[in-house]
Coordinates of all heavy atoms in Angstrom, one line a residue:
Chain I
V322 N -0.6 5.7 -17.0 CA -0.1 6.6 -18.0 C 0.1 6.0 -19.3 O 0.9 6.5 -20.1 CB 1.2 7.3 -17.4 CG1 0.8 8.2 -16.3 CG2 2.2 6.3 -17.1
G323 N -0.5 4.8 -19.6 CA -0.5 4.3 -20.9 C 0.7 3.4 -21.3 O 1.0 3.4 -22.5
L324 N 1.3 2.8 -20.3 CA 2.4 1.9 -20.7 C 1.9 0.4 -20.6 O 1.1 0.1 -19.7 CB 3.6 2.0 -19.8 CG 4.6 3.2 -20.1 CD1 5.6 3.2 -19.0 CD2 5.2 2.9 -21.5
L325 N 2.4 -0.4 -21.5 CA 1.9 -1.8 -21.5 C 2.7 -2.7 -20.6 O 3.5 -3.5 -21.1 CB 2.0 -2.3 -23.0 CG 0.9 -2.1 -23.9 CD1 1.3 -2.4 -25.3 CD2 -0.3 -3.0 -23.6
D326 N 2.5 -2.6 -19.3 CA 3.1 -3.5 -18.4 C 2.3 -4.8 -18.4 O 1.3 -4.9 -19.1 CB 3.3 -2.9 -17.0 CG 2.0 -3.0 -16.2 OD1 1.0 -2.7 -16.9 OD2 2.0 -3.2 -15.0
F327 N 2.7 -5.7 -17.6 CA 2.1 -7.0 -17.6 C 0.6 -6.9 -17.3 O -0.2 -7.5 -18.0 CB 2.8 -7.9 -16.5 CG 2.1 -9.3 -16.4 CD1 2.1 -10.1 -17.5 CD2 1.6 -9.8 -15.2 CE1 1.5 -11.4 -17.5 CE2 1.0 -11.0 -15.2 CZ 1.0 -11.8 -16.3
L328 N 0.2 -6.2 -16.3 CA -1.2 -6.0 -15.9 C -2.0 -5.5 -17.1 O -3.1 -5.9 -17.4 CB -1.4 -5.1 -14.7 CG -2.8 -4.9 -14.3 CD1 -3.5 -6.2 -13.9 CD2 -2.9 -3.9 -13.1
D329 N -1.4 -4.5 -17.8 CA -2.0 -3.9 -19.0 C -2.2 -4.9 -20.2 O -3.2 -4.9 -20.8 CB -1.3 -2.6 -19.4 CG -2.2 -1.7 -20.1 OD1 -3.1 -1.2 -19.4 OD2 -2.1 -1.5 -21.3
T330 N -1.1 -5.7 -20.4 CA -1.3 -6.7 -21.5 C -2.4 -7.7 -21.2 O -3.1 -8.1 -22.1 CB 0.1 -7.4 -21.8 OG1 0.6 -7.9 -20.6 CG2 1.1 -6.5 -22.5
V331 N -2.4 -8.1 -19.9 CA -3.5 -9.0 -19.5 C -4.9 -8.4 -19.8 O -5.8 -9.0 -20.3 CB -3.4 -9.4 -18.1 CG1 -4.6 -10.2 -17.6 CG2 -2.1 -10.3 -17.9
R332 N -5.0 -7.1 -19.4 CA -6.3 -6.4 -19.5 C -6.6 -6.3 -21.0 O -7.8 -6.4 -21.4 CB -6.3 -5.1 -18.8 CG -6.4 -5.2 -17.3 CD -6.3 -3.8 -16.7 NE -7.5 -3.0 -17.0 CZ -7.5 -1.7 -17.0 NH1 -6.3 -1.0 -16.8 NH2 -8.6 -1.0 -17.2
S333 N -5.6 -5.9 -21.8 CA -6.0 -5.7 -23.2 C -6.3 -7.0 -23.9 O -7.0 -7.1 -24.9 CB -4.9 -4.9 -24.0 OG -3.7 -5.5 -23.8
A334 N -5.7 -8.1 -23.4 CA -6.0 -9.5 -23.9 C -7.5 -9.8 -23.6 O -8.2 -10.3 -24.5 CB -5.1 -10.5 -23.3
M335 N -7.9 -9.3 -22.4 CA -9.3 -9.6 -22.1 C -10.3 -8.7 -22.9 O -11.4 -9.1 -23.1 CB -9.5 -9.2 -20.6 CG -9.0 -10.3 -19.7 SD -8.5 -9.7 -18.1 CE -9.9 -8.8 -17.6
R336 N -9.8 -7.6 -23.4 CA -10.6 -6.7 -24.2 C -10.7 -7.1 -25.7 O -11.4 -6.5 -26.5 CB -10.2 -5.3 -24.1 CG -10.6 -4.6 -22.8 CD -10.4 -3.1 -22.9 NE -9.0 -2.7 -23.0 CZ -8.2 -2.4 -22.1 NH1 -8.7 -2.3 -20.8 NH2 -7.0 -2.1 -22.3
D337 N -9.9 -8.1 -26.1 CA -9.9 -8.6 -27.4 C -11.4 -8.9 -27.8 O -12.1 -9.7 -27.1 CB -9.0 -9.9 -27.5 CG -8.9 -10.4 -28.9 OD1 -9.9 -10.3 -29.7 OD2 -7.9 -11.0 -29.3
P338 N -11.9 -8.4 -29.0 CA -13.3 -8.6 -29.3 C -13.7 -10.0 -29.3 O -14.9 -10.3 -28.9 CB -13.3 -8.0 -30.7 CG -12.2 -7.1 -30.9 CD -11.2 -7.5 -29.9
V339 N -12.8 -11.0 -29.6 CA -13.2 -12.4 -29.7 C -13.5 -12.9 -28.2 O -14.4 -13.7 -28.0 CB -12.0 -13.2 -30.3 CG1 -12.5 -14.7 -30.4 CG2 -11.7 -12.7 -31.6
W340 N -12.8 -12.4 -27.3 CA -12.9 -12.9 -25.9 C -13.6 -11.9 -25.0 O -13.8 -12.2 -23.8 CB -11.5 -13.2 -25.3 CG -10.8 -14.2 -26.1 CD1 -9.8 -14.1 -27.0 CD2 -10.9 -15.6 -25.9 NE1 -9.3 -15.3 -27.4 CE2 -10.0 -16.3 -26.8 CE3 -11.7 -16.4 -25.1 CZ2 -9.9 -17.6 -26.9 CZ3 -11.6 -17.8 -25.2 CH2 -10.7 -18.4 -26.1
Q341 N -14.1 -10.8 -25.5 CA -14.6 -9.8 -24.6 C -15.8 -10.3 -23.8 O -16.7 -10.9 -24.3 CB -15.1 -8.6 -25.5 CG -15.6 -7.5 -24.6 CD -15.2 -6.1 -25.1 OE1 -15.1 -5.9 -26.3 NE2 -14.8 -5.2 -24.2
G342 N -15.8 -10.0 -22.5 CA -16.8 -10.4 -21.7 C -16.9 -11.9 -21.3 O -17.8 -12.3 -20.6
I343 N -16.0 -12.7 -21.9 CA -16.0 -14.1 -21.6 C -15.0 -14.4 -20.5 O -15.3 -15.1 -19.6 CB -15.6 -14.9 -22.9 CG1 -16.7 -14.6 -23.9 CG2 -15.5 -16.4 -22.6 CD1 -16.4 -15.2 -25.3
A344 N -13.8 -13.9 -20.7 CA -12.7 -14.3 -19.8 C -12.4 -13.1 -18.8 O -11.2 -12.6 -18.8 CB -11.5 -14.7 -20.5
V345 N -13.3 -12.6 -18.1 CA -13.0 -11.5 -17.2 C -12.3 -12.0 -16.0 O -11.2 -11.4 -15.6 CB -14.3 -10.8 -16.8 CG1 -14.1 -9.7 -15.8 CG2 -15.1 -10.3 -18.0
L346 N -12.8 -13.0 -15.3 CA -12.2 -13.4 -14.1 C -10.8 -14.1 -14.4 O -9.8 -13.9 -13.7 CB -13.1 -14.4 -13.3 CG -14.3 -13.8 -12.8 CD1 -15.1 -14.8 -11.9 CD2 -14.0 -12.6 -11.9
E347 N -10.8 -14.9 -15.5 CA -9.6 -15.7 -15.8 C -8.4 -14.8 -15.9 O -7.4 -15.1 -15.4 CB -9.9 -16.4 -17.2 CG -10.8 -17.6 -17.1 CD -12.2 -17.2 -17.1 OE1 -12.5 -16.0 -17.0 OE2 -13.1 -18.1 -17.2
G348 N -8.5 -13.7 -16.7 CA -7.4 -12.8 -16.9 C -6.9 -12.3 -15.5 O -5.7 -12.4 -15.2
Y349 N -7.8 -11.7 -14.7 CA -7.3 -11.2 -13.4 C -6.8 -12.2 -12.5 O -5.8 -12.0 -11.8 CB -8.5 -10.4 -12.7 CG -8.8 -9.1 -13.4 CD1 -10.1 -8.8 -13.9 CD2 -7.8 -8.1 -13.5 CE1 -10.4 -7.6 -14.4 CE2 -8.1 -6.9 -14.1 CZ -9.4 -6.7 -14.5 OH -9.6 -5.5 -15.1
V350 N -7.4 -13.4 -12.5 CA -6.9 -14.5 -11.6 C -5.5 -14.9 -12.1 O -4.6 -15.1 -11.2 CB -7.8 -15.7 -11.6 CG1 -7.2 -16.9 -10.9 CG2 -9.1 -15.3 -10.9
F351 N -5.3 -15.0 -13.4 CA -4.0 -15.3 -13.9 C -2.9 -14.3 -13.5 O -1.9 -14.6 -13.0 CB -4.0 -15.5 -15.4 CG -2.7 -15.7 -16.1 CD1 -2.0 -16.9 -15.8 CD2 -2.2 -14.8 -16.9 CE1 -0.8 -17.1 -16.4 CE2 -0.9 -15.0 -17.5 CZ -0.2 -16.1 -17.3
A352 N -3.3 -13.0 -13.8 CA -2.3 -11.9 -13.4 C -2.0 -12.0 -11.9 O -0.9 -11.8 -11.5 CB -2.9 -10.6 -13.8
A353 N -3.1 -12.1 -11.1 CA -2.9 -12.2 -9.7 C -2.0 -13.3 -9.3 O -1.1 -13.2 -8.4 CB -4.2 -12.3 -8.9
A354 N -2.1 -14.5 -10.0 CA -1.3 -15.7 -9.6 C 0.2 -15.4 -10.0 O 1.1 -15.7 -9.2 CB -1.8 -16.9 -10.4
V355 N 0.4 -14.7 -11.1 CA 1.8 -14.4 -11.5 C 2.4 -13.4 -10.5 O 3.5 -13.7 -9.9 CB 1.8 -13.8 -12.9 CG1 3.2 -13.3 -13.2 CG2 1.4 -14.8 -13.9
Y356 N 1.7 -12.3 -10.1 CA 2.2 -11.4 -9.2 C 2.4 -12.0 -7.8 O 3.4 -11.8 -7.1 CB 1.3 -10.2 -9.0 CG 1.5 -9.2 -10.1 CD1 0.6 -9.0 -11.2 CD2 2.6 -8.3 -10.1 CE1 0.8 -8.1 -12.2 CE2 2.8 -7.4 -11.1 CZ 1.9 -7.3 -12.1 OH 2.1 -6.4 -13.1
F357 N 1.5 -12.9 -7.4 CA 1.5 -13.6 -6.2 C 2.8 -14.4 -6.1 O 3.5 -14.4 -5.1 CB 0.3 -14.4 -5.9 CG 0.3 -15.1 -4.6 CD1 -0.3 -14.5 -3.5 CD2 0.9 -16.3 -4.4 CE1 -0.3 -15.0 -2.3 CE2 0.9 -16.9 -3.1 CZ 0.3 -16.3 -2.1
A358 N 3.0 -15.2 -7.2 CA 4.2 -16.1 -7.2 C 5.5 -15.3 -7.0 O 6.3 -15.7 -6.1 CB 4.2 -16.9 -8.5
F359 N 5.7 -14.3 -7.8 CA 6.9 -13.5 -7.7 C 7.1 -12.8 -6.3 O 8.1 -12.8 -5.7 CB 7.1 -12.5 -8.8 CG 7.4 -13.2 -10.1 CD1 6.5 -13.1 -11.2 CD2 8.6 -13.8 -10.3 CE1 6.8 -13.7 -12.4 CE2 8.9 -14.5 -11.5 CZ 8.0 -14.4 -12.5
S360 N 6.0 -12.2 -5.8 CA 6.0 -11.5 -4.6 C 6.3 -12.5 -3.4 O 7.1 -12.2 -2.5 CB 4.7 -10.8 -4.3 OG 4.5 -9.9 -5.3
A361 N 5.6 -13.6 -3.4 CA 5.7 -14.6 -2.4 C 7.2 -15.1 -2.3 O 7.8 -15.3 -1.3 CB 4.7 -15.7 -2.5
L362 N 7.7 -15.4 -3.5 CA 9.1 -15.8 -3.6 C 10.1 -14.8 -3.0 O 10.9 -15.2 -2.2 CB 9.5 -16.1 -5.1 CG 9.3 -17.4 -5.6 CD1 9.7 -17.5 -7.1 CD2 10.1 -18.5 -4.8
M363 N 9.9 -13.5 -3.4 CA 10.8 -12.5 -2.8 C 10.6 -12.4 -1.3 O 11.5 -12.1 -0.6 CB 10.6 -11.2 -3.6 CG 11.2 -11.3 -4.9 SD 11.2 -9.7 -5.7 CE 9.5 -9.6 -6.3
G364 N 9.3 -12.5 -0.9 CA 9.0 -12.5 0.5 C 9.7 -13.6 1.3 O 10.3 -13.3 2.4
A365 N 9.7 -14.8 0.7 CA 10.4 -15.9 1.4 C 11.9 -15.6 1.4 O 12.6 -15.8 2.4 CB 10.2 -17.2 0.6
Y366 N 12.4 -15.0 0.3 CA 13.9 -14.6 0.3 C 14.2 -13.6 1.4 O 15.2 -13.7 2.0 CB 14.2 -14.1 -1.1 CG 15.6 -13.6 -1.3 CD1 16.7 -14.5 -1.1 CD2 15.9 -12.3 -1.6 CE1 18.0 -14.1 -1.2 CE2 17.2 -11.9 -1.7 CZ 18.3 -12.8 -1.5 OH 19.6 -12.4 -1.7
S367 N 13.3 -12.6 1.5 CA 13.5 -11.6 2.6 C 13.5 -12.2 4.0 O 14.4 -11.8 4.8 CB 12.4 -10.5 2.5 OG 12.2 -9.9 3.7
R368 N 12.7 -13.2 4.2 CA 12.7 -13.9 5.5 C 14.0 -14.7 5.7 O 14.6 -14.7 6.8 CB 11.5 -14.8 5.7 CG 10.2 -14.0 6.0 CD 9.1 -14.9 6.4 NE 8.6 -15.7 5.3 CZ 7.7 -15.3 4.4 NH1 7.2 -14.0 4.4 NH2 7.3 -16.0 3.4

Side-chain angles (χ1 to χ4, degrees):
Chain I
V322 292
L324 277 177
L325 271 166
D326 78 320
F327 178 59
L328 179 58
D329 204 68
T330 49
V331 171
R332 281 176 74 206
S333 56
M335 284 151 52
R336 281 195 298 263
D337 183 328
V339 184
W340 295 99
Q341 184 138 39
I343 296 171
V345 178
L346 295 184
E347 285 80 352
Y349 284 123
V350 170
F351 174 66
V355 171
Y356 278 104
F357 184 91
F359 285 116
S360 302
L362 270 178
M363 286 188 281
Y366 178 59
S367 157
R368 283 191 290 278

